[in-house]
Amino acid sequence: QKEVEQNSGPLSVPEGAIASLNCTYSDRVSQSFFWYRQYSGKSPELIMSIYSNGDKEDGRFTAQLNKASQYVSLLIRDSQPSDSATYLCAVNGNTGGFKTIFGAGTRLFVKA
Amino acid sequence: GAGVSQSPRYKVAKRGQDVALRCDPISGHVSLFWYQQALGQGPEFLTYFQNEAQLDKSGLPSDRFFAERPEGSVSTLKIQRTQQEDSAVYLCASSLAPAGVPSFGPGTRLTVL
């Protein structure tokens, strides 16, 4: 079992729709959770961080964390073509110390 | 301020050559990470430094890979006797605190022929 799992996609949504991206992690000790966006040929950039159970909203983005289910999600409202990218889920503060572990990423396509 | 920088941005090596990849983290950042990212995959953890101490090198794929950060700032990832399977983008990231959010450099794309 991989430490951080994501559906590789691609996930295709029409412009203006809500895109829902999901991630599960295996280490119950994990404390910090991040969503990064990576455009083709570029390095990952942070979108959201979340540390406690519940929802955290920032503009069109909402991160959701459920530690009991070991589940993290990212919702993108009013999706735009410019949101088309790979979204990486990352987890830190695990049994292995402070290394940040990434999932394989979900490719999102937003159709105009 | 300046972000994480990496050099070279592109490196082509013949199989068997040694390469050295450099990372300049954000000034004052305690933690430094190296990742390997193959095409279509997420970043795979290689190693982690807290200041000059290499606290975790569990992700280094073989003893051909070696990383150092002697003064707690600049880090070098060295790959000896490169193989074709080493072809990937090598990403460096740094964070202000041990549990902080990593900020990534632009990466070094290594191609081994």
Side-chain angles (χ1 to χ4, degrees):
Chain A
Q1 181 191 10
K2 284 200 152 188
E3 293 183 71
V4 180
E5 298 217 44
Q6 298 179 251
N7 187 324
S8 62
L11 172 66
S12 184
V13 300
E15 183 175 1
I18 295 175
S20 178
L21 305 162
N22 304 314
C23 171
T24 58
Y25 59 95
S26 61
D27 192 332
R28 288 192 169 276
V29 178
S30 300
Q31 299 173 18
S32 306
F33 306 87
F34 311 113
W35 282 99
Y36 284 79
R37 177 176 63 200
Q38 186 173 29
Y39 292 113
S40 181
K42 302 294 185 183
S43 58
E45 55 178 333
L46 180 75
I47 300 176
M48 294 281 288
S49 58
I50 187 167
Y51 303 95
S52 54
N53 280 327
D55 294 359
K56 179 181 178 183
E57 186 175 320
D58 183 0
R60 295 187 296 111
F61 299 97
T62 299
Q64 300 174 317
L65 174 61
N66 184 325
K67 289 187 177 182
S69 300
Q70 295 174 239
Y71 176 88
V72 194
S73 67
L74 178 71
L75 299 177
I76 306 174
R77 289 181 300 282
D78 188 24
S79 296
Q80 302 297 308
S82 59
D83 295 327
S84 299
T86 296
Y87 289 80
L88 299 164
C89 173
V91 175
N92 194 336
N94 47 44
T95 305
F98 293 110
K99 64 184 182 185
T100 303
I101 303 297
F102 284 79
T106 298
R107 294 183 65 189
L108 172 66
F109 291 105
V110 181
K111 299 172 293 184
Chain B
V4 179
S5 61
Q6 292 184 246
S7 61
R9 292 292 313 278
Y10 302 91
K11 177 68 179 177
V12 178
K14 291 183 178 179
R15 188 164 59 92
Q17 281 185 331
D18 297 349
V19 298
L21 312 179
R22 177 187 169 107
C23 172
D24 284 83
I26 294 172
S27 179
H29 275 201
V30 166
S31 299
L32 185 145
F33 307 83
W34 282 100
Y35 293 87
Q36 180 190 60
Q37 187 172 28
L39 192 63
Q41 300 296 314
E44 292 284 342
F45 172 82
L46 294 178
T47 187
Y48 161 67
F49 291 86
Q50 189 169 319
N51 296 307
E52 69 278 3
Q54 189 175 20
L55 297 187
D56 191 322
K57 54 182 181 179
S58 61
L60 295 176
S62 75
D63 58 8
R64 296 185 297 104
F65 286 72
F66 171 78
E68 60 183 2
R69 194 186 185 198
E71 297 179 359
S73 56
V74 172
S75 177
T76 303
L77 176 67
K78 298 178 180 178
I79 309 173
Q80 297 177 322
R81 304 181 304 281
T82 52
Q83 304 294 314
Q84 283 188 322
E85 61 263 28
D86 300 334
S87 295
V89 175
Y90 290 85
L91 293 165
C92 176
S94 69
S95 67
L96 184 59
V101 181
S103 297
F104 282 86
T108 295
R109 181 178 296 278
L110 172 66
T111 303
V112 182
L113 302 177

